[in-house]
Amino acid sequence: MNIAPECFFFETEEPKDSPATQAEQLYQAYPRRVGKAPALKAIRAALKRAPFDKLLEAVKQYAHERAGKPVDYTPHPATWFNADRFLDITTTTKFHGHDNNNHKFW
């Protein structure tokens, strides 16, 4: 009797604060989900340069700013994270119901 090797692989849940889980959350929040493998690699590297909560806030704001705009002009997530574009985010838009008066993101 032959047993397929994939029968021996079980999905395990990562802890909620693990880099893999955080990277997946950031990827899912990004407004263009393409090139997942290089994106996750870039996100894990970005997590070493900036805290998760700041990255998530920047991604959410960027997604808000890109809403309704052509996806062709939204960079791939690997490009955005590798270039530290999360540092470019300013609070010029009304976000979470607050008018933030054009302050720098951090």
Side-chain angles (χ1 to χ4, degrees):
M1 175 158 110
N2 290 336
I3 298 176
E6 58 271 3
C7 294
F8 295 105
F9 294 101
F10 300 97
E11 287 190 30
T12 58
E13 283 191 32
E14 292 279 340
K16 290 185 182 196
D17 60 346
S18 76
T21 301
Q22 291 176 343
E24 182 65 34
Q25 287 178 320
L26 290 166
Y27 178 78
Q28 291 302 322
Y30 192 78
R32 185 175 187 185
R33 288 182 287 284
V34 294
K36 188 171 184 175
L40 292 175
K41 182 179 178 182
I43 293 168
R44 285 191 299 272
L47 283 166
K48 294 177 182 176
R49 299 187 303 274
F52 171 73
D53 59 330
K54 295 293 185 183
L55 289 173
L56 185 60
E57 186 176 343
V59 168
K60 286 181 177 180
Q61 182 166 345
Y62 185 62
H64 177 75
E65 290 173 3
R66 294 298 308 158
K69 296 182 181 170
V71 72
D72 292 348
Y73 297 107
T74 302
H76 287 206
T79 302
W80 197 81
F81 282 98
N82 280 329
D84 289 342
R85 298 280 303 272
F86 48 87
L87 297 175
D88 296 344
I89 298 297
T90 59
T91 54
T92 57
T93 59
K94 212 170 193 183
F95 190 60
H96 292 297
H98 302 287
D99 187 6
N100 296 315
N101 299 322
N102 198 23
H103 296 287
K104 205 62 176 146
F105 179 66
W106 30 9

